């Protein structure tokens, strides 16, 4: 199958699957509407919510940091990780945004992506095609060819189940010696300092509990007012990504703890002894103060808008390429927020499908039109 | 994407567009005799308080489609009246296209005349709406030109406008938002009463009508009420699943525009062999890859 065939099939499948999920679980739409209102409150007072979140994390015995840009974020995490460590990554687009994996590798760390799709992208030396499904453009044969590098028993005729088992076996050997688990966050609750993550593979669960140190790295846009909102966000994200119910929802509130003796909560227990939350600004705070751009911060990264976009469906990852892990309609907004790059907006054909399918009801074409305008002011007269 | 090419192309288009629009109210040299002959042929009254507004969209759709190809010519021609008249001869629609858009425009006029006897037309004095400026993001120029268009309509004492394509309708909607354009306007599709039509089609939605101007349902009702059968597939014609014809990216990248059109035509024809469109640009883009009719070609 070529890209055009893959994306047509996947887009139609996602559209119908999400429609069915919303019929079967009608409360998801109400949750999405409520979440939008809650996220708008954060955008209106981002500074305050960042501080509240960091205070909550510290109260839990965790450590919180605010990095203003990519360099600062890499330095903070680089110092936490150190050198010659084994690091397991769950899929995190923010890590791509700041070039974290390569940075840690350059400091003599062994770093492994543990999400299957992301792992395939890593061993193929590729770039994620989709925000939720990074290896969307890979066929079974291509995945087998990549996995053969770590398991010679895999060949072009191997079944998908065998390819998955080979990766699982490989990653298990890394989990047991991992020093640090690095995850992103689907949402961070300001009131509790809890990080919420949704997944299906079980890798995030292991990344967050098995290594002695858990670092969650995410954008300040992922902050929501309460723990309830954080759980709403993971549910809504999973539903609109087209996989519901999700296999796992993980909530991490500081380092591991127990209150089993005399009901006194002590830390650590079985899981990590250190928990660090690294919040990244990298253009988000500025965007929150820009009336034309701020709606973009509502995005929960479900990736549904990609499938509705004629340009993404034609160009795939070549549209925004390696300039950003964010592609498709939301990627045009996010590449601008994080890189100040207006040019991918020029290709927007304002088909409007993106705003129709967005759970956060972001008027994506309107934001993109603003970015186009910024670009148009930069072309020579 | 080739960022450098996009920057260069945007700069050229803006210069050509703005120069032509500010001097002559059309985006490039255009033979207005050809563009207005549909109205001369059926004696549409000149001017009047209610007008049908073509914005030259049906007349220029094929030129818009090849905009990228023509841009160097448009640029080198400049926009002085003499040179422009020579340019208009060079960039001439094909005879079959002229015949087709004349028939469509005349049919639309007859349809709307049923709801209002006194509908005029500005003929050669009709301005292009400025859609391209808006759609390419040239907002400062769009507002500046929009004020000229607004003034021109006021000079002609126009108090009611009937639009016939989605791009112009969307542009007036935005002129209202950005510069206070307060002349009421209605798309002709909303004025259709007792029309008759035949055939079985899959509707390729105009992105602007269906996802920006709230007409997704009403267009279907209008078409079905006329007796035309529409075949639906939610993954192809659903409001959130519909797909652009590729037209809007044509000025910047003709190849990409055609790839989108081809992909859209393939999915549409997997639902039904005959495709119906509501926009002249959708027709220009899709007709190379499938059998397409405009709504105004199947209902009367």
């Amino acid at each position: 199958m070529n890209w055009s065939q893959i994306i047509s099939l996947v887009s139609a499948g996602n559209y119908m699957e999400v429609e069915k999920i919303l019929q079967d679980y009608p409360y998801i739409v109400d949750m999405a509407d409520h979440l939008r209102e809650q996220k708008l409150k954060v955008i209106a007072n981002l500074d305050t919510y960042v501080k509240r979140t960091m205070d909550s994390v510290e109260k839990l015995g965790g450590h919180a940091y605010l990095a203003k840009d990519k360099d600062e974020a890499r330095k903070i995490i680089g110092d936490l990780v150190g050198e010659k460590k084994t690091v397991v990554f769950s899929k995190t687009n923010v890590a791509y945004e700041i070039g974290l994996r390569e940075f840690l590798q350059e400091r003599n760390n062994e770093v492994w992506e543990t999400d299957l799709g992301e792992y395939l992208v890593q061993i193929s030396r590729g770039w994620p095609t989709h925000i939720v499904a990074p290896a969307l453009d890979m066929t079974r044969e291509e995945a087998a060819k990549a996995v053969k590098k770590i398991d010679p028993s895999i060949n072009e005729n191997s079944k998908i189940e065998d390819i998955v088992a080979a990766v699982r076996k490989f990653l298990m050997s890394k989990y047991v010696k991992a020093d640090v688990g690095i995850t992103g966050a689907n949402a961070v609750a300001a009131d509790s300092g809890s990080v919420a993550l949704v997944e299906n593979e079980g890798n995030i669960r292991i990344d967050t509990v098995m290594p002695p140190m858990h670092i969650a790295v995410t954008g300040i846009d992922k902050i929501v007012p309460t723990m309830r909102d954080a759980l709403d966000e993971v549910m809504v994200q999973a539903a609109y990504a087209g996989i519901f119910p999700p296999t796992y929802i993980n909530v991490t509130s500081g380092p591991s703890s127990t209150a089993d003796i005399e009901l006194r909560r002590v830390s650590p227990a079985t899981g990590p002894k250190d928990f660090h939350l690294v919040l990244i600004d990298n253009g988000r705070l500025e965007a929150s103060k820009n009336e034309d751009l701020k709606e973009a911060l509502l995005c929960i990264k479900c990736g549904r808008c990609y499938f509705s976009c004629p340009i993404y469906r034609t160009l795939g990852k070549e549209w925004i390429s390696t300039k950003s892990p964010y592609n498709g309609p939301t990627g045009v907004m996010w590449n601008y927020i994080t890189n100040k790059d207006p040019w991918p907006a020029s290709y927007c054909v304002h088909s409007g499908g993106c705003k129709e399918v967005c759970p956060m009801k972001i008027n994506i074409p309107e934001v993109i039109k603003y970015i186009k305008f910024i670009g148009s002011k930069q072309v020579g007269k | 994407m080739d960022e450098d090419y996009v920057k260069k192309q945007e700069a050229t288009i803006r210069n050509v567009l703005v120069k032509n629009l500010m001097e002559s109210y059309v985006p490039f040299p255009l033979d207005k005799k050809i563009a207005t002959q549909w109205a001369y042929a059926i004696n549409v009254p000149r001017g009047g308080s209610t007008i049908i507004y073509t914005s030259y969209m049906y007349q220029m759709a094929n030129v818009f489609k090849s905009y990228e190809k023509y841009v160097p010519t448009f640029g080198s021609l400049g926009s002085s009246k003499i040179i422009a008249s020579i340019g208009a001869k060079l960039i001439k629609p094909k005879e079959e296209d002229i015949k087709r858009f004349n028939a469509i425009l005349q049919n639309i006029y007859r349809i709307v005349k049923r709801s209002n006897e006194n509908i005029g037309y500005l003929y050669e004095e009709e301005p292009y709406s400025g859609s391209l400026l808006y759609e390419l993001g040239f907002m400062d120029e769009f507002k500046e030109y929009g004020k000229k268009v607004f003034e021109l309509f006021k000079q002609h004492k126009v108090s009611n406008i009937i639009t016939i394509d989605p791009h112009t309708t969307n542009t007036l909607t935005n002129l209202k938002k950005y510069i206070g354009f307060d002349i009421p306007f209605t798309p002709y599709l909303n004025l259709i009463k007792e029309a008759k039509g035949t055939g079985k089609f899959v509707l390729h939605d105009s992105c602007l009508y269906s996802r920006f101007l709230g007409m997704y349902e009403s267009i279907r009702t209008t078409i079905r009420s006329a007796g035309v059968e529409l075949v639906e597939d939610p993954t192809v014609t659903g409001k959130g699943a519909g797909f652009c014809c590729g037209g809007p990216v044509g000025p910047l990248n003709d190849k990409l525009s055609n790839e989108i059109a081809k992909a859209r035509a393939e999915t549409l024809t997997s639902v039904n062999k005959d495709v119906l469109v509501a926009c002249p640009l959708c027709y220009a883009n899709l007709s190379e890859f499938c059998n397409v009719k405009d709504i105004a070609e199947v209902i009367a």
Side-chain angles (χ1 to χ4, degrees):
Chain A
M1 280 204 288
N2 60 29
W3 168 249
S4 167
Q5 291 164 323
I6 292 171
I7 193 64
S8 295
L9 211 63
V10 170
S11 300
N14 172 272
Y15 188 77
M16 293 311 288
E17 190 57 37
V18 175
E19 293 291 309
K20 185 175 181 309
I21 289 167
L22 298 182
Q23 271 179 13
D24 292 348
Y25 304 91
Y27 52 83
I28 296 283
V29 177
D30 295 336
M31 288 168 88
D33 289 345
H34 181 255
L35 181 61
R36 179 186 157 94
E37 295 309 313
Q38 294 297 88
K39 286 177 79 78
L40 282 171
K41 287 180 194 165
V42 176
I43 293 168
N45 279 294
L46 199 44
D47 286 311
T48 308
Y49 277 98
V50 168
K51 188 175 179 313
R52 195 174 296 169
T53 304
M54 292 174 72
D55 288 347
S56 297
V57 170
E58 297 286 341
K59 271 187 211 159
L60 292 167
H63 305 283
Y65 315 80
L66 174 64
K68 70 173 186 307
D69 56 24
K70 297 175 190 183
D71 289 340
E72 220 173 88
R74 283 194 295 244
K75 185 174 183 321
I76 292 167
I77 298 169
D79 289 348
L80 289 172
V81 172
E83 294 192 2
K84 296 179 182 169
K85 302 284 174 52
T86 299
V87 184
V88 284
F89 263 52
S90 76
K91 180 174 63 202
T92 152
N93 292 297
V94 170
Y96 269 101
E97 178 187 324
I98 62 174
L100 186 58
R101 195 198 322 137
E102 292 76 7
F103 177 77
L104 294 177
Q105 284 170 329
E106 283 162 15
R107 293 165 64 106
N108 298 315
N109 293 295
E110 186 187 356
V111 185
W112 292 104
E113 298 283 355
T114 62
D115 172 82
L116 177 65
E118 209 69 272
Y119 175 80
L120 292 172
V121 171
Q122 181 185 10
I123 60 173
S124 314
R125 297 177 184 280
W127 191 256
T129 304
H130 184 271
I131 205 165
V132 173
L136 185 67
D137 56 343
M138 280 180 109
T139 59
R140 180 185 57 79
E141 290 80 0
E142 286 165 338
K145 196 175 160 193
V147 173
K148 195 174 190 304
K149 292 177 198 166
I150 54 115
D151 187 336
S153 72
I154 297 297
N155 59 55
E156 284 184 11
N157 298 319
S158 296
K159 291 187 295 186
I160 292 176
E161 289 82 351
D162 295 335
I163 300 168
V164 176
V167 174
R168 183 177 190 276
K169 190 176 154 196
F170 176 86
L171 289 177
M172 280 299 168
S173 72
K174 303 299 173 190
Y175 284 131
V176 293
K177 62 169 190 163
D179 302 290
V180 183
I182 295 183
T183 68
N186 289 101
V188 185
D191 63 347
S192 66
S194 309
V195 167
L197 284 152
V198 63
E199 57 154 340
N200 299 295
E201 293 175 19
N203 65 307
I204 293 181
R205 190 152 284 198
I206 303 177
D207 291 338
T208 56
V209 297
M210 200 140 166
M213 180 188 286
H214 173 199
I215 302 172
V217 50
T218 194
I220 52 177
D221 56 295
K222 289 296 177 68
I223 295 171
V224 288
T226 68
M227 171 107 81
R228 179 203 149 168
D229 301 323
L231 291 171
D232 278 1
E233 181 153 344
V234 293
M235 302 258 278
V236 174
Q237 199 270 0
Y240 281 83
I243 305 174
F244 199 88
T247 313
Y248 303 106
I249 288 175
N250 305 283
V251 177
T252 302
S253 309
S256 64
S257 64
T258 177
D260 276 1
I261 301 172
E262 297 180 353
L263 278 183
R264 191 163 68 85
R265 195 169 179 179
V266 295
S267 186
T270 311
K273 64 182 174 62
D274 293 312
F275 172 76
H276 303 274
L277 173 67
V278 182
L279 292 167
I280 294 176
D281 174 358
N282 202 29
R284 291 162 174 85
L285 195 56
E286 188 185 337
S288 76
K289 291 170 182 162
N290 182 330
E291 285 301 314
D292 295 302
L293 203 55
K294 69 179 187 185
E295 271 218 3
L297 300 174
L298 291 169
C299 177
I300 60 169
K301 313 286 194 299
C302 67
R304 199 179 182 210
C305 60
Y306 285 50
F307 301 130
S308 72
C309 175
I311 298 295
Y312 174 74
R313 284 173 58 168
T314 308
L315 293 179
K317 63 187 168 195
E318 300 311 316
W319 185 6
I320 301 179
S321 76
T322 56
K323 287 192 283 190
S324 171
Y326 312 110
N327 209 316
T330 196
V332 172
M333 302 191 296
W334 277 89
N335 179 41
Y336 181 72
I337 290 171
T338 56
N339 286 328
K340 296 286 176 289
D341 171 15
W343 301 110
S346 300
Y347 275 176
C348 172
V349 287
H350 54 78
S351 77
C354 49
K355 74 181 167 73
E356 295 296 329
V357 301
C358 176
M360 291 293 99
K361 297 189 168 70
I362 303 170
N363 193 342
I364 301 175
E366 192 69 10
V367 177
I368 293 180
K369 194 196 72 197
Y370 165 74
I371 299 170
K372 263 190 194 183
F373 169 59
I374 298 293
S376 82
K377 288 202 290 188
Q378 294 175 24
V379 297
K381 296 217 177 186
Chain B
M1 66 180 291
D2 185 346
E3 196 176 296
D4 290 335
Y5 181 76
V6 165
K7 287 180 196 171
K8 190 168 152 262
Q9 193 72 357
E10 277 196 21
T12 311
I13 292 172
R14 181 174 60 194
N15 293 342
V16 170
L17 260 181
V18 172
K19 205 154 63 169
N20 278 284
L21 287 174
M22 290 303 181
E23 286 185 19
S24 52
Y25 291 97
V26 283
F28 42 76
L30 168 75
D31 189 336
K32 291 192 177 177
K33 274 188 192 152
I34 293 174
T36 56
Q37 62 180 227
W38 70 272
Y40 280 110
I42 57 170
N43 296 316
V44 175
R46 185 176 286 272
S49 59
T50 297
I51 57 154
I52 186 167
Y53 181 28
T54 76
S55 192
Y56 305 101
M57 293 298 286
Y58 276 92
Q59 299 95 313
M60 297 187 302
N62 276 331
V63 183
F64 274 129
K65 178 171 166 41
S66 306
Y67 204 91
E68 190 188 15
K69 187 177 80 187
Y70 287 128
V71 161
T73 315
F74 295 151
S76 63
L77 281 170
S79 58
S80 81
K81 284 198 170 126
I82 298 165
I83 301 172
S85 69
I86 297 165
K89 300 281 183 293
L90 294 172
I91 306 159
K92 195 178 165 186
K94 289 181 200 155
E95 278 305 320
E96 67 205 66
D97 293 335
I98 296 171
K99 204 173 153 190
R100 182 178 164 274
F101 70 63
N102 279 343
I104 288 175
L105 293 169
Q106 286 167 358
N107 187 35
I108 292 173
Y109 182 76
R110 289 188 188 106
I111 287 173
V112 294
K113 206 162 171 260
R114 284 179 215 146
S115 62
N116 184 343
E117 269 295 312
N118 301 308
I119 297 173
Y121 175 50
L122 293 181
Y123 286 83
E124 297 80 2
E125 289 171 276
E126 177 181 81
Y128 168 65
S129 71
S131 296
L132 259 180
L133 292 172
Y134 177 77
E135 290 167 17
L136 290 168
F138 303 142
M139 290 302 292
D140 290 339
E141 294 83 353
F142 171 69
K143 289 177 205 166
E144 189 187 349
Y145 176 66
K147 286 175 191 160
K148 272 176 70 86
V149 171
F150 190 16
E151 278 308 310
L152 191 71
F153 280 131
K154 284 197 278 193
Q155 279 168 26
H156 284 283
K157 300 194 178 353
V158 172
S159 60
N160 191 19
I161 295 169
I162 297 165
T163 56
I164 65 168
D165 76 280
H167 291 266
T168 305
T169 312
N170 189 54
T171 297
L172 296 189
T173 306
N174 282 295
L175 286 178
K176 187 175 172 182
K177 177 178 167 184
Y178 288 105
I179 64 155
F181 184 95
D182 63 359
I183 303 171
F185 54 91
T186 314
Y188 92 94
L189 288 167
N190 290 354
L191 297 171
I192 295 179
K193 285 174 195 158
E194 297 167 18
K196 293 275 176 278
T198 54
K200 181 180 170 183
F201 295 91
V202 55
L203 177 68
H204 164 74
D205 280 277
S206 143
C207 296
L208 296 175
Y209 273 156
S210 292
R211 286 181 284 275
F212 289 83
L213 297 165
M215 291 165 64
Y216 179 82
E217 295 295 344
S218 66
I219 283 187
R220 283 166 169 74
T221 304
T222 299
I223 296 165
R224 289 199 171 107
S225 301
V228 176
E229 186 182 346
L230 290 181
V231 191
E232 302 279 2
D233 174 338
T235 67
V236 177
T237 58
K239 197 174 177 188
F243 205 90
C244 163
C245 67
V249 78
L252 292 177
N253 189 328
D254 190 41
K255 183 173 171 283
L256 177 58
S257 171
N258 277 325
E259 281 176 35
I260 295 171
K262 188 167 178 282
R264 182 59 179 158
E266 278 170 13
T267 55
L268 287 165
T269 50
S270 72
V271 179
N272 190 69
K273 72 178 174 60
D274 296 319
V275 176
L276 197 59
V277 294
C279 167
L281 298 187
C282 292
Y283 180 91
N285 277 276
L286 294 173
S287 55
E288 197 177 310
F289 304 103
C290 58
N291 186 32
V292 190
K293 294 272 187 211
D294 189 281
I295 292 175
E297 287 177 292
V298 301
I299 64 170

